[in-house]
Amino acid sequence: MLVASRASRASSRRAGLRHPTASPTGIRRRNAGFATGTGMNRLADELGFLILYPQQSKDANLARCWNWHNPAHQGRGGEPAVIAALTRHAIMLGRVNPARVYIAGLSAGGAAAAIVGAAYTGIFTAVGVHSGILHGNVQSMSTALSAMRGDARPHLGEKLRRPLPSIVFHRDRDRVVHPSNASAFLHHLEQAHPGPLVARSVTARSDNGRDFTRRIYKSKSGNLLLEDWTIDGSGHGWSGGQGGSYTGPTGPDASRAMMEFFLSLSKRP
């Protein structure tokens, strides 16, 4: 998981590069490897972001996974509260623009990012989720695994009624988090948004040879609400990665797409 904030100063800053991130299925990626594989630090320098990589404790989860499936960590307490506190601290120390603070993650980190963004809309401006899931009514490891397999679509309920603008990536041959989970983000938006959505779909091929479909959803007044990217012919992992486990070098650059999505959004005064 990462928290990105647009720096107020000309230079960018990075924090917490040693923090690990992981998925609930036992996929482990230390954040130094995650930062390198996704190219996020390079983009931070280029675009003027501070990036914070929150750490999961091994005492809290032996696989160092975010406990997104546990009701104790699905609201404004537990792990989301810790991540929010770290973010506030980074905003203060980094002198960043509080109207441009974003959160993103992969797999369990993506599920946790969606939870934190929904719980702390006063802090975050937008959310990025790669190969993740909306927790909905998932309240145990068994129901989490069922949802991840695509056996049961999580019921969203009232606690996810106000989604932040979101960008979602999923690979269509993902055998860890079933690709059908990506549709929950659009379903959530359709439930929560009071008016009709204006949709546009683009099918293209990345420079390195991977086909993908990008669907863009806006409000009738033109506000960007959701981008949904589906990458053809690839499994679980970060699209457009630059080496390391669970990255896909032949896909579109998810890191740059997320940063560009974030840059197009800021909180209104």
Side-chain angles (χ1 to χ4, degrees), residues 6-247:
R6 191 70 189 275
S8 297
R9 297 176 180 176
S11 61
S12 66
R13 301 164 183 83
R14 299 189 297 271
L17 299 183
R18 293 177 295 176
H19 297 328
T21 188
S23 83
T25 56
I27 295 172
R28 303 180 186 184
R29 296 208 62 195
R30 294 193 177 276
N31 271 6
F34 180 78
T36 301
T38 61
M40 281 294 184
N41 288 346
R42 173 181 51 80
L43 284 173
D45 289 335
E46 176 186 336
L47 300 175
F49 276 87
L50 179 150
I51 298 184
L52 171 71
Y53 297 92
Q55 173 178 335
Q56 173 62 295
S57 167
K58 194 171 183 179
D59 292 336
N61 187 296
L62 289 176
R64 290 178 171 168
C65 306
W66 297 104
N67 292 303
W68 62 275
H69 57 278
N70 186 328
H73 305 293
Q74 293 178 349
R76 292 178 64 88
E79 292 169 1
V82 173
I83 293 167
L86 288 170
T87 303
R88 291 190 185 101
H89 191 59
I91 291 170
M92 179 184 66
L93 290 182
R95 301 183 185 179
V96 301
N97 184 346
R100 290 185 174 275
V101 181
Y102 316 93
I103 186 166
L106 168 69
S107 197
I115 290 170
V116 176
Y120 291 94
T121 56
I123 298 177
F124 298 99
T125 304
V127 176
V129 178
H130 201 312
S131 309
I133 187 171
L134 277 177
H135 73 278
N137 62 339
V138 170
Q139 295 189 337
S140 67
M141 180 59 77
S142 62
T143 54
L145 292 173
S146 179
M148 290 167 63
R149 289 191 299 265
D151 294 339
R153 187 175 190 174
H155 174 68
L156 299 178
E158 294 299 319
K159 56 187 172 184
L160 292 175
R161 295 300 299 175
R162 299 172 61 186
L164 291 174
S166 302
I167 180 168
V168 177
F169 276 79
H170 223 108
R171 293 164 155 188
D172 70 350
R173 295 185 185 176
D174 193 328
R175 298 182 184 276
V176 176
V177 180
H178 194 274
S180 62
N181 282 290
S183 65
F185 293 88
L186 175 59
H187 180 56
H188 177 199
L189 178 61
E190 289 173 333
Q191 283 189 333
H193 192 68
L197 301 177
V198 178
R200 180 167 65 93
S201 180
V202 177
T203 300
R205 176 168 292 182
S206 65
D207 292 340
N208 44 33
R210 183 71 69 183
D211 292 339
F212 65 91
T213 301
R214 177 189 180 195
R215 302 172 186 87
I216 303 167
Y217 300 90
K218 296 183 177 182
S219 67
K220 192 174 181 180
S221 60
N223 294 324
L224 181 58
L225 302 173
L226 174 67
E227 282 196 19
D228 180 5
W229 294 61
T230 302
I231 299 96
D232 293 351
S234 52
H236 192 67
W238 195 272
S239 176
Q242 301 175 2
S245 59
Y246 302 105
T247 60

